[in-house]
Amino acid sequence: MTSAGSLHRGVPLTQGASSLRGAEQRRGGAFGVYVHWPFCLSKCPYCDFNSHVRHAAIDEERFASAFASEIETTAARVPGRRVSSIFLGGGTPSLMQPQTVGRVLDAIGKHWLVAEDVEVTLEANPTSVEATRFRGYRAAGVNRVSLGVQALDDASLKMLGRLHSAREALEAVAIARGSFERYSFDLIYARPDQTPTMWSEELERAIGQAAEHLSLYQLTIEEGTPFFGLHATGKLKTPDEATARALYDVTQEICGRHGLPAYEISNHARPGAECRHNLVYWRGEEYAGIGPGAHGRLDCDGVRHATATERRPEAWLMRVEATGHGVITDDVLNSEERADEYLLMGLRLAEGIDPQSYATLAGRALDPNRIATLREEGAITVDDDGRLRVTQSGFPVLDAVVADLAA
Ligand SMILES: C[S@@+](CC[C@H](N)C(=O)[O-])C[C@H]1O[C@@H](n2cnc3c(N)ncnc32)[C@H](O)[C@@H]1O
Ligand code: SF4
């Protein structure tokens, strides 16, 4: 990684640190800040994320002020944290002006301590227009981009309702490579009519353009999306179970061979290049959720709070302007819920979970009989140090493994 100085131009890290000087650093663990930009140019037919299309111009000034207010209010709840990662996700954050991104990062630096080596990721759609902003994002303090390439052929991109061509996406990847030391891109596989041979060729080509990190998602059919209706009426056919399994297996084989093993069920990285922000979620660390529809996990008064903000962008704006935050759900997680979350998130990781940590959270140990059965079935392994991991054949049935262990 480059030095913090060049990566964080525009983020007043020292100012933020000095404004908090004297404040006790309450804990040494990772702390992430997620910021949600809820707008897209069009809605992709498979997507159920909190993303909205607006035909009038977005008042970015107003959103930037609201983000700053919500950051200030959240920091007052969880003061003295040292921010180890920031993730600008969406929606399409690459529609934001670099100065809006700069204002968000300034607000974070003003109200929390920011680690010298903080990871600042921005999700970008790979159109040529968006790629022209990359240098501006870098100057604002972003040091990693994650591009939604999705597919490397135009017919698939059209089927997925994407607004970019494969060539444009690869050009955006090249611009990302020239602008950031760290970049990643997403592909969606298990698409209609995709065979393992087709996917292998596409993935090999993708890896030729990848650096240190790739996110490879199997297409999921989400309720409420246009794809859901088409799938239900048989007009959109996804690969059957055996083909999906073969697609998953070639993914692991090819990525492993190229030094990009899965560190999480859908995320691949060279060792050491994992997305630190994602690890915050999966390791059950603390994070703040800022912006419309953002989720957070905050430790206040010795208990963990699960927070969620108003999803509708304009309603979120009005709430923040009236009260300083857009939080509409704030639940204290009991020990059972915390332990279940630890299991659900942690077992997605190749590093697995520590059963002792589970027992501490749950107040009871995992059932040794269930562990033994899952081991016999080849779904999990138990390391010498006791860590429990899901195997390659366990990952395709991860939900069942988690349900079995949590029962
Ligand atoms: C919320 S999107 C934001 C990124 C950006 N707006 C874009 O589309 O490029 C994050 C990623 O989730 C993945 N994704 C969203 N919906 C999906 C689905 N139904 N199945 C598989 N992957 C999906 C896509 O790969 C996408 O890049
Ligand atoms: S996939 Fe990305 S661009 Fe498409 S609607 Fe969802 S968030 Fe927007």
PDB file of all heavy atoms in Angstrom, residues 241-270:
ATOM      1  N   GLU A 241     -29.255 -27.476 -10.307  1.00  0.00           N
ATOM      2  CA  GLU A 241     -28.377 -27.611  -9.142  1.00  0.00           C
ATOM      3  C   GLU A 241     -27.005 -28.189  -9.495  1.00  0.00           C
ATOM      4  O   GLU A 241     -25.961 -27.688  -9.038  1.00  0.00           O
ATOM      5  CB  GLU A 241     -29.063 -28.505  -8.105  1.00  0.00           C
ATOM      6  CG  GLU A 241     -28.679 -28.174  -6.689  1.00  0.00           C
ATOM      7  CD  GLU A 241     -29.472 -29.004  -5.695  1.00  0.00           C
ATOM      8  OE1 GLU A 241     -30.706 -28.837  -5.604  1.00  0.00           O
ATOM      9  OE2 GLU A 241     -28.846 -29.842  -5.039  1.00  0.00           O
ATOM     10  N   ALA A 242     -27.014 -29.225 -10.351  1.00  0.00           N
ATOM     11  CA  ALA A 242     -25.744 -29.881 -10.697  1.00  0.00           C
ATOM     12  C   ALA A 242     -24.854 -28.922 -11.486  1.00  0.00           C
ATOM     13  O   ALA A 242     -23.630 -28.848 -11.259  1.00  0.00           O
ATOM     14  CB  ALA A 242     -26.020 -31.141 -11.507  1.00  0.00           C
ATOM     15  N   THR A 243     -25.445 -28.153 -12.408  1.00  0.00           N
ATOM     16  CA  THR A 243     -24.643 -27.201 -13.192  1.00  0.00           C
ATOM     17  C   THR A 243     -24.128 -26.090 -12.284  1.00  0.00           C
ATOM     18  O   THR A 243     -22.962 -25.680 -12.382  1.00  0.00           O
ATOM     19  CB  THR A 243     -25.485 -26.612 -14.352  1.00  0.00           C
ATOM     20  OG1 THR A 243     -26.119 -27.688 -15.030  1.00  0.00           O
ATOM     21  CG2 THR A 243     -24.636 -25.821 -15.320  1.00  0.00           C
ATOM     22  N   ALA A 244     -25.000 -25.606 -11.389  1.00  0.00           N
ATOM     23  CA  ALA A 244     -24.574 -24.540 -10.460  1.00  0.00           C
ATOM     24  C   ALA A 244     -23.390 -25.029  -9.629  1.00  0.00           C
ATOM     25  O   ALA A 244     -22.422 -24.299  -9.402  1.00  0.00           O
ATOM     26  CB  ALA A 244     -25.734 -24.123  -9.569  1.00  0.00           C
ATOM     27  N   ARG A 245     -23.447 -26.291  -9.214  1.00  0.00           N
ATOM     28  CA  ARG A 245     -22.354 -26.857  -8.421  1.00  0.00           C
ATOM     29  C   ARG A 245     -21.063 -26.952  -9.250  1.00  0.00           C
ATOM     30  O   ARG A 245     -19.968 -26.606  -8.782  1.00  0.00           O
ATOM     31  CB  ARG A 245     -22.790 -28.248  -7.916  1.00  0.00           C
ATOM     32  CG  ARG A 245     -21.756 -28.997  -7.121  1.00  0.00           C
ATOM     33  CD  ARG A 245     -21.435 -28.228  -5.846  1.00  0.00           C
ATOM     34  NE  ARG A 245     -20.093 -28.529  -5.389  1.00  0.00           N
ATOM     35  CZ  ARG A 245     -19.795 -29.418  -4.456  1.00  0.00           C
ATOM     36  NH1 ARG A 245     -20.755 -30.064  -3.848  1.00  0.00           N
ATOM     37  NH2 ARG A 245     -18.554 -29.640  -4.106  1.00  0.00           N
ATOM     38  N   ALA A 246     -21.236 -27.360 -10.518  1.00  0.00           N
ATOM     39  CA  ALA A 246     -20.059 -27.451 -11.392  1.00  0.00           C
ATOM     40  C   ALA A 246     -19.469 -26.051 -11.633  1.00  0.00           C
ATOM     41  O   ALA A 246     -18.249 -25.875 -11.657  1.00  0.00           O
ATOM     42  CB  ALA A 246     -20.455 -28.103 -12.717  1.00  0.00           C
ATOM     43  N   LEU A 247     -20.338 -25.056 -11.771  1.00  0.00           N
ATOM     44  CA  LEU A 247     -19.868 -23.678 -11.973  1.00  0.00           C
ATOM     45  C   LEU A 247     -19.097 -23.202 -10.741  1.00  0.00           C
ATOM     46  O   LEU A 247     -18.051 -22.553 -10.850  1.00  0.00           O
ATOM     47  CB  LEU A 247     -21.063 -22.745 -12.242  1.00  0.00           C
ATOM     48  CG  LEU A 247     -21.737 -22.917 -13.609  1.00  0.00           C
ATOM     49  CD1 LEU A 247     -23.127 -22.287 -13.616  1.00  0.00           C
ATOM     50  CD2 LEU A 247     -20.881 -22.301 -14.713  1.00  0.00           C
ATOM     51  N   TYR A 248     -19.616 -23.539  -9.581  1.00  0.00           N
ATOM     52  CA  TYR A 248     -18.947 -23.160  -8.324  1.00  0.00           C
ATOM     53  C   TYR A 248     -17.582 -23.849  -8.248  1.00  0.00           C
ATOM     54  O   TYR A 248     -16.571 -23.222  -7.913  1.00  0.00           O
ATOM     55  CB  TYR A 248     -19.832 -23.550  -7.127  1.00  0.00           C
ATOM     56  CG  TYR A 248     -19.161 -23.318  -5.802  1.00  0.00           C
ATOM     57  CD1 TYR A 248     -19.119 -22.042  -5.237  1.00  0.00           C
ATOM     58  CD2 TYR A 248     -18.554 -24.361  -5.114  1.00  0.00           C
ATOM     59  CE1 TYR A 248     -18.476 -21.821  -4.033  1.00  0.00           C
ATOM     60  CE2 TYR A 248     -17.909 -24.144  -3.908  1.00  0.00           C
ATOM     61  CZ  TYR A 248     -17.877 -22.875  -3.368  1.00  0.00           C
ATOM     62  OH  TYR A 248     -17.235 -22.661  -2.178  1.00  0.00           O
ATOM     63  N   ASP A 249     -17.556 -25.133  -8.570  1.00  0.00           N
ATOM     64  CA  ASP A 249     -16.299 -25.889  -8.474  1.00  0.00           C
ATOM     65  C   ASP A 249     -15.227 -25.351  -9.432  1.00  0.00           C
ATOM     66  O   ASP A 249     -14.069 -25.226  -9.047  1.00  0.00           O
ATOM     67  CB  ASP A 249     -16.545 -27.382  -8.714  1.00  0.00           C
ATOM     68  CG  ASP A 249     -17.239 -28.037  -7.516  1.00  0.00           C
ATOM     69  OD1 ASP A 249     -17.236 -27.424  -6.421  1.00  0.00           O
ATOM     70  OD2 ASP A 249     -17.782 -29.143  -7.672  1.00  0.00           O
ATOM     71  N   VAL A 250     -15.629 -25.009 -10.681  1.00  0.00           N
ATOM     72  CA  VAL A 250     -14.592 -24.484 -11.593  1.00  0.00           C
ATOM     73  C   VAL A 250     -14.108 -23.114 -11.097  1.00  0.00           C
ATOM     74  O   VAL A 250     -12.937 -22.766 -11.256  1.00  0.00           O
ATOM     75  CB  VAL A 250     -15.020 -24.398 -13.088  1.00  0.00           C
ATOM     76  CG1 VAL A 250     -15.401 -25.730 -13.645  1.00  0.00           C
ATOM     77  CG2 VAL A 250     -16.080 -23.374 -13.346  1.00  0.00           C
ATOM     78  N   THR A 251     -14.999 -22.368 -10.470  1.00  0.00           N
ATOM     79  CA  THR A 251     -14.600 -21.064  -9.916  1.00  0.00           C
ATOM     80  C   THR A 251     -13.479 -21.247  -8.889  1.00  0.00           C
ATOM     81  O   THR A 251     -12.464 -20.549  -8.916  1.00  0.00           O
ATOM     82  CB  THR A 251     -15.819 -20.386  -9.237  1.00  0.00           C
ATOM     83  OG1 THR A 251     -16.885 -20.341 -10.172  1.00  0.00           O
ATOM     84  CG2 THR A 251     -15.499 -18.983  -8.759  1.00  0.00           C
ATOM     85  N   GLN A 252     -13.683 -22.225  -7.993  1.00  0.00           N
ATOM     86  CA  GLN A 252     -12.676 -22.451  -6.939  1.00  0.00           C
ATOM     87  C   GLN A 252     -11.375 -22.944  -7.550  1.00  0.00           C
ATOM     88  O   GLN A 252     -10.290 -22.502  -7.166  1.00  0.00           O
ATOM     89  CB  GLN A 252     -13.182 -23.493  -5.913  1.00  0.00           C
ATOM     90  CG  GLN A 252     -14.538 -23.181  -5.306  1.00  0.00           C
ATOM     91  CD  GLN A 252     -14.706 -21.733  -4.889  1.00  0.00           C
ATOM     92  OE1 GLN A 252     -13.883 -21.173  -4.167  1.00  0.00           O
ATOM     93  NE2 GLN A 252     -15.770 -21.102  -5.361  1.00  0.00           N
ATOM     94  N   GLU A 253     -11.509 -23.844  -8.522  1.00  0.00           N
ATOM     95  CA  GLU A 253     -10.302 -24.444  -9.109  1.00  0.00           C
ATOM     96  C   GLU A 253      -9.482 -23.383  -9.844  1.00  0.00           C
ATOM     97  O   GLU A 253      -8.272 -23.238  -9.615  1.00  0.00           O
ATOM     98  CB  GLU A 253     -10.746 -25.584 -10.053  1.00  0.00           C
ATOM     99  CG  GLU A 253      -9.615 -26.464 -10.557  1.00  0.00           C
ATOM    100  CD  GLU A 253      -8.947 -25.889 -11.798  1.00  0.00           C
ATOM    101  OE1 GLU A 253      -9.655 -25.504 -12.755  1.00  0.00           O
ATOM    102  OE2 GLU A 253      -7.704 -25.802 -11.804  1.00  0.00           O
ATOM    103  N   ILE A 254     -10.153 -22.592 -10.697  1.00  0.00           N
ATOM    104  CA  ILE A 254      -9.421 -21.602 -11.509  1.00  0.00           C
ATOM    105  C   ILE A 254      -8.823 -20.508 -10.614  1.00  0.00           C
ATOM    106  O   ILE A 254      -7.649 -20.151 -10.751  1.00  0.00           O
ATOM    107  CB  ILE A 254     -10.352 -20.993 -12.593  1.00  0.00           C
ATOM    108  CG1 ILE A 254     -10.740 -22.081 -13.602  1.00  0.00           C
ATOM    109  CG2 ILE A 254      -9.685 -19.806 -13.288  1.00  0.00           C
ATOM    110  CD1 ILE A 254     -11.762 -21.651 -14.621  1.00  0.00           C
ATOM    111  N   CYS A 255      -9.622 -19.993  -9.685  1.00  0.00           N
ATOM    112  CA  CYS A 255      -9.108 -18.912  -8.827  1.00  0.00           C
ATOM    113  C   CYS A 255      -7.963 -19.419  -7.953  1.00  0.00           C
ATOM    114  O   CYS A 255      -6.971 -18.713  -7.752  1.00  0.00           O
ATOM    115  CB  CYS A 255     -10.228 -18.330  -7.969  1.00  0.00           C
ATOM    116  SG  CYS A 255     -11.379 -17.358  -8.929  1.00  0.00           S
ATOM    117  N   GLY A 256      -8.110 -20.626  -7.450  1.00  0.00           N
ATOM    118  CA  GLY A 256      -7.050 -21.201  -6.613  1.00  0.00           C
ATOM    119  C   GLY A 256      -5.750 -21.317  -7.400  1.00  0.00           C
ATOM    120  O   GLY A 256      -4.676 -20.959  -6.919  1.00  0.00           O
ATOM    121  N   ARG A 257      -5.884 -21.792  -8.634  1.00  0.00           N
ATOM    122  CA  ARG A 257      -4.708 -21.980  -9.494  1.00  0.00           C
ATOM    123  C   ARG A 257      -4.006 -20.648  -9.787  1.00  0.00           C
ATOM    124  O   ARG A 257      -2.799 -20.607  -9.974  1.00  0.00           O
ATOM    125  CB  ARG A 257      -5.177 -22.663 -10.793  1.00  0.00           C
ATOM    126  CG  ARG A 257      -4.107 -22.995 -11.775  1.00  0.00           C
ATOM    127  CD  ARG A 257      -4.486 -24.166 -12.675  1.00  0.00           C
ATOM    128  NE  ARG A 257      -5.845 -24.177 -13.197  1.00  0.00           N
ATOM    129  CZ  ARG A 257      -6.266 -23.437 -14.229  1.00  0.00           C
ATOM    130  NH1 ARG A 257      -5.463 -22.606 -14.826  1.00  0.00           N
ATOM    131  NH2 ARG A 257      -7.526 -23.532 -14.662  1.00  0.00           N
ATOM    132  N   HIS A 258      -4.783 -19.563  -9.824  1.00  0.00           N
ATOM    133  CA  HIS A 258      -4.187 -18.255 -10.107  1.00  0.00           C
ATOM    134  C   HIS A 258      -3.819 -17.475  -8.844  1.00  0.00           C
ATOM    135  O   HIS A 258      -3.584 -16.265  -8.905  1.00  0.00           O
ATOM    136  CB  HIS A 258      -5.146 -17.419 -10.959  1.00  0.00           C
ATOM    137  CG  HIS A 258      -5.241 -17.882 -12.381  1.00  0.00           C
ATOM    138  ND1 HIS A 258      -4.317 -17.536 -13.336  1.00  0.00           N
ATOM    139  CD2 HIS A 258      -6.127 -18.703 -13.000  1.00  0.00           C
ATOM    140  CE1 HIS A 258      -4.648 -18.094 -14.494  1.00  0.00           C
ATOM    141  NE2 HIS A 258      -5.744 -18.818 -14.316  1.00  0.00           N
ATOM    142  N   GLY A 259      -3.829 -18.160  -7.706  1.00  0.00           N
ATOM    143  CA  GLY A 259      -3.409 -17.475  -6.470  1.00  0.00           C
ATOM    144  C   GLY A 259      -4.458 -16.546  -5.903  1.00  0.00           C
ATOM    145  O   GLY A 259      -4.131 -15.614  -5.162  1.00  0.00           O
ATOM    146  N   LEU A 260      -5.743 -16.780  -6.290  1.00  0.00           N
ATOM    147  CA  LEU A 260      -6.839 -15.950  -5.763  1.00  0.00           C
ATOM    148  C   LEU A 260      -7.854 -16.849  -5.051  1.00  0.00           C
ATOM    149  O   LEU A 260      -9.018 -16.965  -5.482  1.00  0.00           O
ATOM    150  CB  LEU A 260      -7.528 -15.202  -6.916  1.00  0.00           C
ATOM    151  CG  LEU A 260      -6.790 -14.019  -7.540  1.00  0.00           C
ATOM    152  CD1 LEU A 260      -7.339 -13.700  -8.926  1.00  0.00           C
ATOM    153  CD2 LEU A 260      -6.910 -12.790  -6.643  1.00  0.00           C
ATOM    154  N   PRO A 261      -7.454 -17.486  -3.959  1.00  0.00           N
ATOM    155  CA  PRO A 261      -8.394 -18.381  -3.286  1.00  0.00           C
ATOM    156  C   PRO A 261      -9.559 -17.611  -2.669  1.00  0.00           C
ATOM    157  O   PRO A 261      -9.454 -16.401  -2.430  1.00  0.00           O
ATOM    158  CB  PRO A 261      -7.523 -19.012  -2.181  1.00  0.00           C
ATOM    159  CG  PRO A 261      -6.462 -18.006  -1.918  1.00  0.00           C
ATOM    160  CD  PRO A 261      -6.183 -17.343  -3.241  1.00  0.00           C
ATOM    161  N   ALA A 262     -10.654 -18.330  -2.438  1.00  0.00           N
ATOM    162  CA  ALA A 262     -11.806 -17.684  -1.787  1.00  0.00           C
ATOM    163  C   ALA A 262     -11.462 -17.470  -0.319  1.00  0.00           C
ATOM    164  O   ALA A 262     -11.065 -18.399   0.364  1.00  0.00           O
ATOM    165  CB  ALA A 262     -13.034 -18.579  -1.907  1.00  0.00           C
ATOM    166  N   TYR A 263     -11.589 -16.210   0.145  1.00  0.00           N
ATOM    167  CA  TYR A 263     -11.469 -15.989   1.589  1.00  0.00           C
ATOM    168  C   TYR A 263     -12.847 -15.886   2.205  1.00  0.00           C
ATOM    169  O   TYR A 263     -13.018 -15.927   3.409  1.00  0.00           O
ATOM    170  CB  TYR A 263     -10.604 -14.762   1.917  1.00  0.00           C
ATOM    171  CG  TYR A 263     -11.181 -13.419   1.518  1.00  0.00           C
ATOM    172  CD1 TYR A 263     -11.866 -12.623   2.431  1.00  0.00           C
ATOM    173  CD2 TYR A 263     -11.030 -12.938   0.218  1.00  0.00           C
ATOM    174  CE1 TYR A 263     -12.382 -11.391   2.070  1.00  0.00           C
ATOM    175  CE2 TYR A 263     -11.547 -11.706  -0.155  1.00  0.00           C
ATOM    176  CZ  TYR A 263     -12.218 -10.933   0.778  1.00  0.00           C
ATOM    177  OH  TYR A 263     -12.744  -9.708   0.415  1.00  0.00           O
ATOM    178  N   GLU A 264     -13.850 -15.787   1.318  1.00  0.00           N
ATOM    179  CA  GLU A 264     -15.260 -15.791   1.718  1.00  0.00           C
ATOM    180  C   GLU A 264     -15.999 -16.481   0.595  1.00  0.00           C
ATOM    181  O   GLU A 264     -15.460 -16.592  -0.517  1.00  0.00           O
ATOM    182  CB  GLU A 264     -15.729 -14.342   1.907  1.00  0.00           C
ATOM    183  CG  GLU A 264     -17.113 -14.168   2.505  1.00  0.00           C
ATOM    184  CD  GLU A 264     -18.223 -14.023   1.479  1.00  0.00           C
ATOM    185  OE1 GLU A 264     -17.940 -13.876   0.271  1.00  0.00           O
ATOM    186  OE2 GLU A 264     -19.394 -14.061   1.881  1.00  0.00           O
ATOM    187  N   ILE A 265     -17.207 -16.921   0.844  1.00  0.00           N
ATOM    188  CA  ILE A 265     -17.905 -17.761  -0.134  1.00  0.00           C
ATOM    189  C   ILE A 265     -17.890 -17.172  -1.560  1.00  0.00           C
ATOM    190  O   ILE A 265     -17.734 -17.915  -2.528  1.00  0.00           O
ATOM    191  CB  ILE A 265     -19.329 -18.092   0.391  1.00  0.00           C
ATOM    192  CG1 ILE A 265     -20.010 -19.126  -0.476  1.00  0.00           C
ATOM    193  CG2 ILE A 265     -20.185 -16.877   0.588  1.00  0.00           C
ATOM    194  CD1 ILE A 265     -21.175 -19.825   0.218  1.00  0.00           C
ATOM    195  N   SER A 266     -17.987 -15.845  -1.718  1.00  0.00           N
ATOM    196  CA  SER A 266     -18.010 -15.240  -3.055  1.00  0.00           C
ATOM    197  C   SER A 266     -16.847 -14.294  -3.317  1.00  0.00           C
ATOM    198  O   SER A 266     -16.834 -13.611  -4.341  1.00  0.00           O
ATOM    199  CB  SER A 266     -19.303 -14.434  -3.245  1.00  0.00           C
ATOM    200  OG  SER A 266     -20.429 -15.212  -2.958  1.00  0.00           O
ATOM    201  N   ASN A 267     -15.911 -14.207  -2.393  1.00  0.00           N
ATOM    202  CA  ASN A 267     -14.843 -13.215  -2.537  1.00  0.00           C
ATOM    203  C   ASN A 267     -13.471 -13.870  -2.543  1.00  0.00           C
ATOM    204  O   ASN A 267     -13.161 -14.691  -1.671  1.00  0.00           O
ATOM    205  CB  ASN A 267     -14.938 -12.179  -1.420  1.00  0.00           C
ATOM    206  CG  ASN A 267     -16.047 -11.181  -1.695  1.00  0.00           C
ATOM    207  OD1 ASN A 267     -15.860 -10.208  -2.417  1.00  0.00           O
ATOM    208  ND2 ASN A 267     -17.227 -11.461  -1.170  1.00  0.00           N
ATOM    209  N   HIS A 268     -12.683 -13.474  -3.528  1.00  0.00           N
ATOM    210  CA  HIS A 268     -11.374 -14.078  -3.759  1.00  0.00           C
ATOM    211  C   HIS A 268     -10.295 -13.003  -3.689  1.00  0.00           C
ATOM    212  O   HIS A 268     -10.492 -11.905  -4.200  1.00  0.00           O
ATOM    213  CB  HIS A 268     -11.334 -14.715  -5.156  1.00  0.00           C
ATOM    214  CG  HIS A 268     -12.317 -15.833  -5.305  1.00  0.00           C
ATOM    215  ND1 HIS A 268     -11.937 -17.147  -5.352  1.00  0.00           N
ATOM    216  CD2 HIS A 268     -13.673 -15.822  -5.392  1.00  0.00           C
ATOM    217  CE1 HIS A 268     -13.024 -17.911  -5.463  1.00  0.00           C
ATOM    218  NE2 HIS A 268     -14.083 -17.126  -5.494  1.00  0.00           N
ATOM    219  N   ALA A 269      -9.166 -13.359  -3.066  1.00  0.00           N
ATOM    220  CA  ALA A 269      -8.086 -12.368  -2.979  1.00  0.00           C
ATOM    221  C   ALA A 269      -6.749 -13.061  -2.853  1.00  0.00           C
ATOM    222  O   ALA A 269      -6.663 -14.205  -2.391  1.00  0.00           O
ATOM    223  CB  ALA A 269      -8.298 -11.457  -1.774  1.00  0.00           C
ATOM    224  N   ARG A 270      -5.728 -12.334  -3.269  1.00  0.00           N
ATOM    225  CA  ARG A 270      -4.382 -12.791  -2.944  1.00  0.00           C
ATOM    226  C   ARG A 270      -4.237 -12.637  -1.433  1.00  0.00           C
ATOM    227  O   ARG A 270      -4.751 -11.663  -0.869  1.00  0.00           O
ATOM    228  CB  ARG A 270      -3.327 -11.926  -3.658  1.00  0.00           C
ATOM    229  CG  ARG A 270      -3.539 -11.883  -5.152  1.00  0.00           C
ATOM    230  CD  ARG A 270      -2.304 -11.619  -5.963  1.00  0.00           C
ATOM    231  NE  ARG A 270      -2.687 -11.527  -7.379  1.00  0.00           N
ATOM    232  CZ  ARG A 270      -2.960 -12.580  -8.148  1.00  0.00           C
ATOM    233  NH1 ARG A 270      -2.866 -13.804  -7.677  1.00  0.00           N
ATOM    234  NH2 ARG A 270      -3.334 -12.429  -9.418  1.00  0.00           N
TER     235      ARG A 270
END
